[in-house]
Amino acid sequence: TAAPVIIAVDGPAAAGKGTLARRLAQALSLPYLDTGLLYRAVARRVLDAGRDPSAPGAEAEAHALAPSDLDRTDLRTPEVDRAASLVAAQPAVRAALIEVQRRFGRESGAVLDGRDIGTVIFPDATVKLYITASPLTRARRRWAQGLDVAPVDGDQTAHIEAVAAQLAARDAADSARAVAPLRPAADAVVIETDAMDAETVLAKALQVVRTRLA
Ligand code: CDP
Ligand code: CDP
């Protein structure tokens, strides 16, 4: 039997990974997993317990994750952004989440988006995409979503600059950590999306996928 089709979508914060991965999954009739939600849900549990997300031991929360944790509506706040990146740097947290991600794709294939899907979770993925854009473009996209915006006095430019600073700090931490740092896999197709809308990115990605599957 043919191996299940795994599409890895990695890249920095607010590049459009989730938007692309969801559309790819729909176009290809594959299940979709937003792996960032796993780290966000762990972070949420750590914060709720009144614990420090940078202190070792968050694997307890990772082992305790239930499906309903991923449905919480408070996973995309600036506080959880930072805490998710902190717990994601803990090797024991990453180890606790590897199997659930692999199991998700193993049976019928999947599209997964995150930071280390093509490098660590599925190093033999059928297709590896690395979605990126300049820090300013990504900050504008996140700002336009009305998420991640810490209150700032001042105009729209100041708001976007504040978002850019938050994204830059998180990307720096995600890229510098010792375990599963953010980086394109050697065999990833890098898509620079500064001048592309979401439809154009999808078309480009589908082209890559179909060429690979042919
Ligand atoms: O998952 P990730 O954090 O990488 O980004 P996202 O939440 O999927 O996308 C951030 C925002 O950028 C969404 O509002 C998208 O509609 C928008 N966007 C995009 O995803 N792709 C483009 N090429 C342009 C904008
Ligand atoms: O949507 P956005 O790109 O802002 O973030 P996310 O994909 O929801 O991921 C939140 C945080 O979880 C990231 O900043 C990473 O620290 C961590 N993460 C990770 O380490 N590995 C993954 N596969 C996915 C997320």
Side-chain angles (χ1 to χ4, degrees), residues 51-59 90:
R51 304 206 1 256
D52 174 0
S54 62
E59 67 273 15
Q90 298 185 27

Side-chain angles (χ1 to χ4, degrees), residues 12-19 113 141-142 145 193 196-198 201:
K17 303 178 300 296
T19 301
D113 81 299
R141 288 178 185 169
R142 186 50 46 95
Q145 286 180 299
T193 68
M196 296 164 88
D197 63 16
V201 178

Side-chain angles (χ1 to χ4, degrees), residues 10-15 17 34-37 39-40 76 81 84-86 88 94 101 113-117 142 148 167 170 174 177 180:
D10 291 307
K17 303 178 300 296
D34 173 355
T35 67
L37 274 188
Y39 295 91
R40 289 175 180 275
R76 296 191 190 278
D81 289 349
S85 185
L86 290 170
R94 305 201 72 85
Q101 296 173 80
D113 81 299
R115 301 290 185 288
D116 63 339
I117 307 305
R142 186 50 46 95
D148 272 25
L167 295 180
R170 190 147 59 92
D174 290 346
R177 69 185 174 217

